């Protein structure tokens, strides 16, 4: 693996961890203990979309992106590798079906990265909370 690729992987991992920690931190308490499948898949889809977009922008391939997703989603959600792998196996199919949370996560991290101020970054990180609000209203 080239040094530049390793640096990109590290940078994408750090950025997605920062963004997703911020986004989840702005959500309602108890999110990590939710048993509502819609909420669980929305949160994981959002996270997956964020990682995929960040990896794509950094010029990383599918293997690197999958590795970053496994590490980041495991750490953010406190999930073991086996559990993360099960969810990640479903995400490409959901992405092909244009599952909205994946697209929202991808857009949100790009907007977060391009924000000029901390206030703008905070607004972009709140997009996960907005997604969950929409699920609650449905």
């Amino acid at each position: 693996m080239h040094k530049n690729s390793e640096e990109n992987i590290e940078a994408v991992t750090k950025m997605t961890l920062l963004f997703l920690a911020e986004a989840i931190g702005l959500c309602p308490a108890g999110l990590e203990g939710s048993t509502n499948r819609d909420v669980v898949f929305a949160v994981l889809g959002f996270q997956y979309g964020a990682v995929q977009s960040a990896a794509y922008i950094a010029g990383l391939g599918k293997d690197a992106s999958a590795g970053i997703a496994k590490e980041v989603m495991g750490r953010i959600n406190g999930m073991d590798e086996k559990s993360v792998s099960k969810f990640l196996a479903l995400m490409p199919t959901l992405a092909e079906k244009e599952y909205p949370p994946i697209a929202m996560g991808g857009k949100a991290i790009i907007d977060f990265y391009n924000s000029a101020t901390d206030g703008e970054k905070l607004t972009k990180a709140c997009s996960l909370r907005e997604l969950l609000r929409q699920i609650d209203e449905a």
Side-chain angles (χ1 to χ4, degrees), residues 6-106:
E6 289 174 10
E7 289 172 355
N8 284 349
I9 290 170
E10 186 176 329
V12 168
T13 301
K14 286 180 181 177
M15 182 176 67
T16 55
L17 281 169
L18 172 70
F19 169 70
L20 294 173
E22 184 90 18
I24 289 174
L26 296 171
C27 287
L31 178 64
E32 67 284 348
S34 178
T35 56
N36 180 329
R37 282 181 52 99
D38 290 340
V39 169
V40 171
F41 274 92
V43 170
L44 294 173
F46 183 91
Q47 293 172 354
Y48 177 81
V51 171
Q52 294 298 305
S53 288
Y56 177 79
I57 297 296
L60 299 173
K62 285 184 179 183
D63 290 342
S65 179
I68 294 168
K70 188 179 285 188
E71 178 183 348
V72 168
M73 292 170 71
R75 286 174 64 183
I76 288 290
N77 300 301
M79 297 168 72
D80 61 46
E81 188 174 329
K82 185 177 178 181
S83 297
V84 173
S85 293
K86 284 181 184 179
F87 281 108
L88 287 177
L90 300 172
M91 289 300 153
T93 302
L94 291 174
E96 285 177 17
K97 294 180 179 182
E98 299 180 5
Y99 183 56
I102 294 174
M104 289 176 74

Side-chain angles (χ1 to χ4, degrees), residues 84-131:
V84 173
S85 293
K86 284 181 184 179
F87 281 108
L88 287 177
L90 300 172
M91 289 300 153
T93 302
L94 291 174
E96 285 177 17
K97 294 180 179 182
E98 299 180 5
Y99 183 56
I102 294 174
M104 289 176 74
K107 181 177 179 346
I109 196 167
I110 291 168
D111 291 347
F112 179 85
Y113 179 76
N114 290 323
S115 295
T117 67
D118 287 341
E120 288 176 14
K121 285 185 180 198
L122 189 63
T123 299
K124 302 310 176 191
C126 283
S127 57
L128 178 58
R129 182 171 54 187
E130 175 59 23
L131 172 64

